[in-house]
Amino acid sequence: MAMAIRSLLIFLFILSLTVPTFSLHEDQVGLMDWHQKYIGKVKHAVFQTQKTGRKRVLVSTEENAIASLDLRHGEIFWRHVLGANDAIDGIDIAMTKYAITLSSGGSILRAWNLPDGQMVWESFLQGPIDSKSFLFVSASSKVDKENTILVFGKGSLHAVSSIHGEIVWKIDFPSECFEVQEVIQHYDGNTIYVVGFVGSSQFDVYQINAKNGELLKHDSAAFDGGFSGEVSLVSRAKLVVLDAARSALLTISFQSGEISFQKTYISDLVEDFSGIAVILPSKLTGLFAVKTNTATAFISVSSEGKLEVVDKIKHATVISNVLSISEDQQAFALVRHGSNDIHFNVKQVHDWNSDLLKERIKLDQQRGLVHKVFINNYVRTDKSHGFRALIVMEDHSLLLLQQGEVVWSREDGLASIIGVTTSELPVEREGVSVAKVEQNLFEWLKGHMLKVKGTLMLASAEDVAAIQGMRLKSSEKSKMIRDHNGFRKLLIVLTKSGKLFALHTGDGRIVWSLLLNSLRQTEACENPTGINVYQWQVPHHHAMDENPSVLVVGRCRTGTDAPGIFSFVDTYTGKELKSFGLDHSVAQVIPLPLTDATEQRLHLLIDANGQVHLYPRAPEAAAIFQHEFSNIYWYSVEADKGVIKGHGLKSNCDGEVADNYSFGTREIWSIVFPSESEKIISTVTRKSNEVVHTQAKVIADQDVMYKYISKNLLYVATVSPKASGDIGSATPGESQLVVYVVDTVTGRILHRMTHHGSQGPVHAVFSENWIVYHYFNLRAHRYEMTVIEIYDQSRADNKDVLKLVLGKHNLSSPISSYSRSEVTTKSQSYYFTHSIKAITVTSTAKGITSKHLLIGTIGDQVLAMDKRFFDPRRSVNPTQSEKEEGILPLTDSLPIIPQSYVTHSHKVEGLRGIVTVPAKLESNTLVFTYGVDLFFTRLAPSRTYDSLTEDFSYALLLITIVALVVAIFVTWVLSKKKDLSDKWR
């Protein structure tokens, strides 16, 4: 009996040890992370609806993605994201089974299998010069019949086989300045006409044999007024173009080898015409559209070349592609904006007065204007023609319209994030509970029993699905109130379209979105662009009364000399509080660690003239700033000139109008790198909000090393000019990488290191007193990562405890960049397998938790590596004390553990950045990765040493405790009986 009880206790003890686990089980996927797929703003679209079955649309985007979307739900069937330098120039469908893409300026032609997206073939097209690219696929309705693909790029015309991608023939045009505008297929299909411009005043027509590429005829004619380059083909032998002044229309006829020009002034066609006209891209037979500053005019072209205005629309208008609905009928869509809706009309090209479809559809005003429209037809049950429209909006979202309704929508603007910040959620007020009683006692017990089965690995596939569903249902991660661990937050992201999104960290849903009016195109601000988003007001003392807000900074056009734009947005409601244009440019934004009484954060804006402007413009902010006036320093990097400068403030502004919020600058120091030997390719500094727990580092021999902690340090990487190109552009003897650590207050170079035979690109991260950077070693033909740790030797000299107690120890003296410190460094280099796109480091609330490096690999995944792998004190045979300290044995390369991938099996296509945010719980950090896709997760670099995990089985713990109590009671009873029996003997 005693043996059985002992065995039971041992079993229960072992069972209790199996509860805390650090691996990720199948039923835990999606509990602490989420992954969202996008494609970006659509540039081209081709519908694939000929076959029966599921209907699809093939699209290419500005994020260099090609994708096949389901027309029923908008889901991605397949998708490929090409490289950042592989922009897609055009797409089409060949043989009704291949998707054809032209990219990289007309130099790469690919064919993809339409059902599954597998690449069938790839052709590289060469040419003498860079030129405008053009893709033309000859018409064919038979699946097995080969289509000839004509590609103009690199100054040459190529005919490519659609079956195997081989080049059938190639033509190099006599003039290097020839730019193809249109490729026209003759009725017989054996002859093609290539028309285009040479320079700005000559029009050329080439007649070519489509089978062998033989040049049959070449005609050219010059026009003294010049061309603007925008062409609208209105028939097989006639096109319309604007003159160089954009005030007149030229009808160019090139039939039977004769080229003639017919000029018509726009003012004769459109009343009150002024400014610059633009021909809208379209291929309407006998019709084209001209947009002026007052209206959009639709103009018909007669067979004699005479122009006549058919209609004039004053509202914002967008024209779709041309759609052939029968052998002799063509249709196109016309979208006009109303007050709160859009007017969607489908018209026949030759019958303007009748509409094939006329609908009025309400759209969310936060999506902005319609930018592009692609239409497709289908046959209704009554045999009539129905139409669907794929619409690209101003905020880069994608919508499908059918039967007067929005069938589905995609927020593809999130594929172009340019700025990220965070905001806390509201505090749960007393008396208001958002908790929901979702389970009764039976369901609660059932759920915990399923968790026990999952822990003991006895759960079936249905049980695993039930466990995951119950966890997601009962999870509190999606509540709209802040939690005590700081896991629930709002991610405030700014996109390239000027739209602001608030994403919930719990499940990634969009809480609110706002298309900023200040970043929309106006007459005063023609090309607005966003710069970044910053925390503006973060209430702590008034968290119950005031909402936090963010500051969005932008420019009216590209370039640092453009006027700036300010917009303030409430992060709880998503409302724009106020916005205004600045009377100065924005070259640099510096958030200061200072706040006023309303808890608004002070910001410095440096304009292109070097003047400094303080925001908010309030007397209290100016008084706070004046108190710290002498402690404000910053630096600027002019990479093209090879100069780094340090700046300080002057009390007065050099401008014509001086006020209390504008200040002049003075140059304190400068470092000029010799242009013949060094070129700046990378700079990085510490995060301004990083928390360092301790300055001391205890090493193996019980000695102490003191970290050199300064927020004024800058890491700079330079390479030789010959090695500034791609890898392999220079020989090992011609290339070298030089890294510097510079104090940005004094300009003092604290450390310099040279890597001979190495080159960029360089990716680096700076945290506490260490720097890790990644580069390519040409001599070893491998990537390397180097770590530099900086220590303050002056603080380790005096170890007198009495002086420390009396406050006379040098550790208690104030730190100043002007006091010359004795700095020592330790460094070590390691081989690394991957090329990387981004690198950052985890951050926690108090800086106690050990650091992990988060590396965005070339495979668009995020790899977490312990900082201990980058310890410069690693040796081949560490001593016992060093092993106890945690120093790993030295290896020449860094190990890549598959379980260390933060993104698991997911890929963040087009990865551009990794953002880490500390949670309130010290052991955890929040990680947000963005690119074309989005990925969010929660990490615990040193395990969850300060809390129990969410999947901790309380039921199993309760069963264990009850079993132990019962076992103790049973053994106590048995022990009493045994003692009693012994006494009776």
Side-chain angles (χ1 to χ4, degrees):
M1 186 67 180
M3 181 63 67
I5 295 173
R6 191 179 298 110
S7 300
L8 177 62
L9 292 175
I10 294 174
F11 172 76
L12 292 175
F13 176 75
I14 295 175
L15 190 63
S16 64
L17 292 179
T18 62
V19 175
T21 178
F22 303 110
S23 60
L24 188 68
H25 294 284
E26 182 182 359
D27 62 305
Q28 292 175 307
V29 175
L31 292 179
M32 295 186 296
D33 57 77
W34 45 265
H35 180 228
Q36 298 176 355
K37 292 184 178 181
Y38 298 100
I39 56 175
K41 184 180 181 181
V42 172
K43 293 194 300 184
H44 312 99
V46 180
F47 288 89
Q48 183 198 2
T49 56
Q50 292 83 3
K51 295 182 179 181
T52 59
R54 307 188 74 172
K55 309 301 182 182
R56 307 184 185 185
V57 59
L58 183 71
V59 297
S60 68
T61 70
E62 292 183 356
E63 301 300 324
N64 300 340
I66 175 174
S68 178
L69 304 180
D70 178 18
L71 281 178
R72 181 176 297 178
H73 304 291
E75 298 173 349
I76 299 175
F77 272 115
W78 56 263
R79 177 193 61 171
H80 297 286
V81 179
L82 307 183
N85 300 321
D86 195 7
I88 300 175
D89 305 315
I91 63 171
D92 210 330
I93 293 178
M95 301 174 62
T96 67
K97 62 179 181 179
Y98 292 156
I100 307 298
T101 61
L102 179 66
S103 60
S104 293
S107 61
I108 302 178
L109 188 69
R110 298 182 178 94
W112 314 84
N113 194 26
L114 275 175
D116 55 11
Q118 296 295 320
M119 189 169 68
V120 181
W121 51 258
E122 182 179 40
S123 294
F124 296 91
L125 311 178
Q126 303 297 328
I129 59 172
D130 292 333
S131 62
K132 176 184 175 182
S133 60
F134 190 90
L135 175 66
F136 177 81
V137 179
S138 60
S140 176
S141 58
K142 296 182 179 180
V143 176
D144 297 330
K145 185 176 180 181
E146 179 180 0
N147 297 83
T148 301
I149 304 171
L150 298 177
V151 177
F152 176 76
K154 300 294 181 180
S156 302
L157 182 68
H158 300 79
V160 183
S161 169
S162 58
I163 295 179
H164 41 64
E166 294 183 358
I167 298 175
V168 180
W169 51 260
K170 173 185 175 183
I171 293 180
D172 295 325
F173 294 99
S175 176
E176 294 183 354
C177 301
F178 181 66
E179 293 285 348
V180 172
Q181 299 296 328
E182 291 289 345
V183 175
I184 306 163
Q185 188 175 14
H186 198 262
Y187 292 105
D188 57 9
N190 297 325
T191 307
I192 58 173
Y193 295 89
V194 180
V195 299
F197 300 131
V198 176
S200 59
S201 59
Q202 182 177 325
F203 178 76
D204 283 28
V205 179
Y206 291 89
Q207 185 177 349
I208 301 171
N209 188 322
K211 293 184 178 180
N212 55 22
E214 179 185 356
L215 180 61
L216 304 177
K217 193 175 183 182
H218 173 217
D219 299 305
S220 65
F223 181 75
D224 296 335
F227 311 113
S228 66
E230 298 170 355
V231 171
S232 179
L233 185 68
V234 293
S235 70
R236 291 183 180 268
K238 197 181 273 89
L239 55 83
V240 179
V241 63
L242 285 165
D243 66 350
R246 293 180 179 267
S247 60
L249 295 167
L250 299 175
T251 305
I252 306 176
S253 301
F254 49 93
Q255 193 170 11
S256 301
E258 297 181 359
I259 301 175
S260 62
F261 301 96
Q262 188 171 346
K263 184 176 181 180
T264 306
Y265 286 97
I266 300 177
S267 57
D268 296 338
L269 299 172
V270 181
E271 298 178 357
D272 302 328
F273 167 72
S274 62
I276 297 176
V278 177
I279 293 181
L280 298 180
S282 63
K283 292 185 179 180
L284 308 177
T285 303
L287 194 69
F288 68 98
V290 176
K291 184 179 180 181
T292 66
N293 58 343
T294 57
T296 300
F298 291 87
I299 303 172
S300 64
V301 184
S302 64
S303 58
E304 295 80 14
K306 184 180 179 180
L307 305 183
E308 182 181 355
V309 176
V310 177
D311 197 0
K312 189 169 61 174
I313 302 173
K314 293 185 178 181
H315 302 282
T317 308
V318 182
I319 303 174
S320 76
N321 57 305
V322 179
L323 182 67
S324 296
I325 55 178
S326 64
E327 293 183 358
D328 57 347
Q329 281 187 332
Q330 285 185 329
F332 71 99
L334 188 66
V335 177
R336 294 180 292 114
H337 282 271
S339 55
N340 295 318
D341 52 14
I342 62 170
H343 300 269
F344 179 68
N345 294 358
V346 179
K347 293 179 173 291
Q348 294 188 54
V349 175
H350 299 292
D351 189 2
W352 184 265
N353 295 323
S354 63
D355 294 323
L356 296 175
L357 181 68
K358 190 173 183 180
E359 294 176 342
R360 192 171 179 177
I361 304 168
K362 289 186 178 182
L363 293 181
D364 184 3
Q365 296 300 308
Q366 294 302 323
R367 297 190 183 278
L369 303 176
V370 176
H371 275 194
K372 291 185 179 181
V373 180
F374 306 93
I375 64 169
N376 178 248
N377 66 319
Y378 60 94
V379 180
R380 296 173 177 156
T381 54
D382 59 356
K383 305 299 181 180
S384 62
H385 284 288
F387 297 90
R388 59 174 70 95
L390 195 69
I391 293 186
V392 183
M393 303 298 295
E394 184 180 356
D395 66 342
H396 299 184
S397 60
L398 188 65
L399 288 74
L400 183 72
L401 305 183
Q402 189 171 332
Q403 297 181 354
E405 295 181 354
V406 178
V407 179
W408 51 259
S409 63
R410 293 179 52 88
E411 294 290 350
D412 285 302
L414 287 169
S416 59
I417 293 176
I418 59 176
V420 181
T421 189
T422 59
S423 173
E424 295 289 347
L425 285 166
V427 180
E428 185 177 11
R429 291 172 171 82
E430 295 183 1
V432 179
S433 176
V434 295
K436 295 181 180 179
V437 180
E438 298 176 348
Q439 296 178 334
N440 54 31
L441 181 60
F442 175 75
E443 291 176 345
W444 183 84
L445 290 173
K446 179 182 177 182
H448 280 287
M449 290 304 298
L450 285 174
K451 287 184 179 181
V452 172
K453 291 178 67 177
T455 303
L456 298 176
M457 299 182 182
L458 301 176
S460 62
E462 292 78 8
D463 293 337
V464 170
I467 292 170
Q468 188 172 359
M470 292 176 64
R471 283 177 174 171
L472 292 174
K473 183 179 178 181
S474 61
S475 175
E476 296 186 355
K477 65 178 184 179
S478 301
K479 289 184 177 180
M480 281 300 298
I481 56 172
R482 69 180 66 176
D483 59 320
H484 64 279
N485 290 328
F487 297 155
R488 293 195 295 264
K489 295 180 185 292
L490 289 179
L491 293 169
I492 311 298
V493 299
L494 176 65
T495 64
K496 194 184 297 184
S497 63
K499 192 168 187 178
L500 208 62
F501 290 87
L503 307 178
H504 198 291
T505 58
D507 52 7
R509 74 180 186 275
I510 299 173
V511 179
W512 54 261
S513 60
L514 174 67
L515 185 62
L516 297 169
N517 290 323
S518 55
L519 293 181
R520 299 182 69 181
Q521 185 176 358
T522 60
E523 294 182 1
C525 195
E526 296 181 356
N527 188 22
T529 57
I531 300 176
N532 208 339
V533 56
Y534 304 90
Q535 291 183 345
W536 176 252
Q537 186 177 19
V538 185
H540 295 288
H541 304 292
H542 306 283
M544 303 292 289
D545 306 320
E546 297 181 5
N547 295 350
S549 57
V550 293
L551 165 66
V552 179
V553 182
R555 298 190 184 102
C556 272
R557 59 179 182 274
T558 56
T560 57
D561 58 343
I565 303 170
F566 263 21
S567 180
F568 303 90
V569 180
D570 189 313
T571 61
Y572 287 173
T573 62
K575 294 182 179 179
E576 191 172 20
L577 303 176
K578 61 178 178 179
S579 64
F580 53 85
L582 307 179
D583 55 1
H584 58 82
S585 59
V586 179
Q588 191 175 354
V589 181
I590 303 176
L592 299 176
L594 305 171
T595 57
D596 59 12
T598 61
E599 297 182 89
Q600 290 182 350
R601 189 170 183 179
L602 274 60
H603 289 71
L604 286 185
L605 270 68
I606 294 92
D607 61 22
N609 299 322
Q611 302 301 309
V612 178
H613 306 270
L614 174 67
Y615 291 90
R617 289 177 171 262
E620 181 188 1
I624 296 172
F625 181 73
Q626 286 292 341
H627 187 264
E628 299 291 336
F629 187 86
S630 59
N631 296 324
I632 303 298
Y633 300 91
W634 73 95
Y635 68 92
S636 62
V637 179
E638 300 176 15
D640 296 336
K641 299 179 180 179
V643 179
I644 301 177
K645 297 179 180 180
H647 306 277
L649 292 171
K650 291 195 300 188
S651 57
N652 60 331
C653 181
D654 295 336
E656 297 180 359
V657 180
D659 54 35
N660 295 329
Y661 311 107
S662 299
F663 308 92
T665 61
R666 56 190 175 94
E667 184 178 319
I668 302 175
W669 57 266
S670 64
I671 299 176
V672 181
F673 297 95
S675 59
E676 65 275 4
S677 61
E678 295 186 58
K679 180 180 180 181
I680 300 174
I681 61 170
S682 177
T683 58
V684 69
T685 187
R686 281 183 55 198
K687 292 182 180 180
S688 59
N689 60 348
E690 184 183 26
V691 178
V692 180
H693 176 63
T694 179
Q695 186 184 4
K697 180 178 180 180
V698 181
I699 59 178
D701 55 0
Q702 303 304 315
D703 199 358
V704 178
M705 299 177 67
Y706 295 95
K707 305 174 186 176
Y708 187 79
I709 305 296
S710 174
K711 293 184 178 181
N712 302 317
L713 296 184
L714 174 68
Y715 165 84
V716 183
T718 66
V719 294
S720 53
K722 289 185 178 180
S724 60
D726 296 333
I727 294 175
S729 59
T731 62
E734 296 172 335
S735 61
Q736 68 174 6
L737 171 67
V738 186
V739 298
Y740 301 85
V741 180
V742 182
D743 190 304
T744 58
V745 175
T746 62
R748 184 182 301 130
I749 297 177
L750 302 178
H751 180 69
R752 182 182 185 272
M753 179 184 293
T754 303
H755 300 274
H756 295 286
S758 299
Q759 71 172 111
V762 174
H763 298 274
V765 61
F766 200 148
S767 177
E768 293 188 358
N769 68 318
W770 52 267
I771 308 162
V772 174
Y773 54 97
H774 176 277
Y775 56 94
F776 188 78
N777 188 329
L778 289 170
R779 297 184 186 275
H781 300 283
R782 298 175 70 176
Y783 288 100
E784 282 188 5
M785 296 187 76
T786 297
V787 57
I788 299 174
E789 290 189 355
I790 310 169
Y791 293 96
D792 190 353
Q793 194 66 24
S794 63
R795 294 182 175 271
D797 294 339
N798 193 344
K799 301 179 181 179
D800 194 337
V801 180
L802 181 61
K803 288 186 176 181
L804 181 61
V805 173
L806 297 177
K808 296 182 180 181
H809 195 281
N810 57 2
L811 286 177
S812 61
S813 61
I815 300 176
S816 174
S817 292
Y818 287 101
S819 60
R820 192 170 187 86
S821 303
E822 297 180 19
V823 173
T824 182
T825 61
K826 295 181 180 295
S827 63
Q828 185 71 268
S829 297
Y830 304 93
Y831 290 125
F832 190 67
T833 306
H834 294 297
S835 171
I836 69 174
K837 292 184 174 182
I839 183 172
T840 190
V841 64
T842 57
S843 57
T844 54
K846 301 184 183 301
I848 301 173
T849 306
S850 61
K851 302 283 187 179
H852 274 202
L853 270 73
L854 302 178
I855 301 171
T857 66
I858 193 66
D860 292 323
Q861 291 186 299
V862 179
L863 177 68
M865 296 194 70
D866 197 323
K867 172 58 176 61
R868 294 189 302 161
F869 288 113
F870 299 91
D871 194 331
R873 297 171 53 234
R874 289 176 63 184
S875 59
V876 178
N877 296 312
T879 63
Q880 184 61 34
S881 58
E882 288 177 337
K883 291 180 180 179
E884 294 174 358
E885 184 186 342
I887 296 179
L888 303 175
L890 179 64
T891 55
D892 60 346
S893 61
L894 295 168
I896 296 179
I897 305 171
Q899 291 81 2
S900 297
Y901 281 99
V902 174
T903 48
H904 315 309
S905 60
H906 299 297
K907 291 180 65 176
V908 184
E909 294 282 2
L911 188 149
R912 292 192 304 273
I914 306 171
V915 178
T916 59
V917 182
K920 291 181 181 178
L921 197 64
E922 171 58 26
S923 63
N924 283 260
T925 181
L926 310 180
V927 180
F928 177 61
T929 308
Y930 62 92
V932 178
D933 296 346
L934 307 181
F935 181 82
F936 176 86
T937 189
R938 190 169 78 235
L939 291 183
S942 298
R943 313 289 187 182
T944 52
Y945 58 86
D946 52 357
S947 64
L948 295 173
T949 58
E950 285 188 355
D951 59 342
F952 183 81
S953 179
Y954 294 94
L956 185 59
L957 177 63
L958 181 61
I959 293 171
T960 305
I961 294 173
V962 171
L964 289 174
V965 171
V966 171
I968 291 172
F969 178 76
V970 170
T971 55
W972 179 75
V973 172
L974 294 176
S975 177
K976 285 290 187 182
K977 289 184 178 180
K978 186 175 182 301
D979 291 342
L980 184 60
S981 62
D982 291 340
K983 290 179 181 180
W984 278 102
R985 288 180 181 175

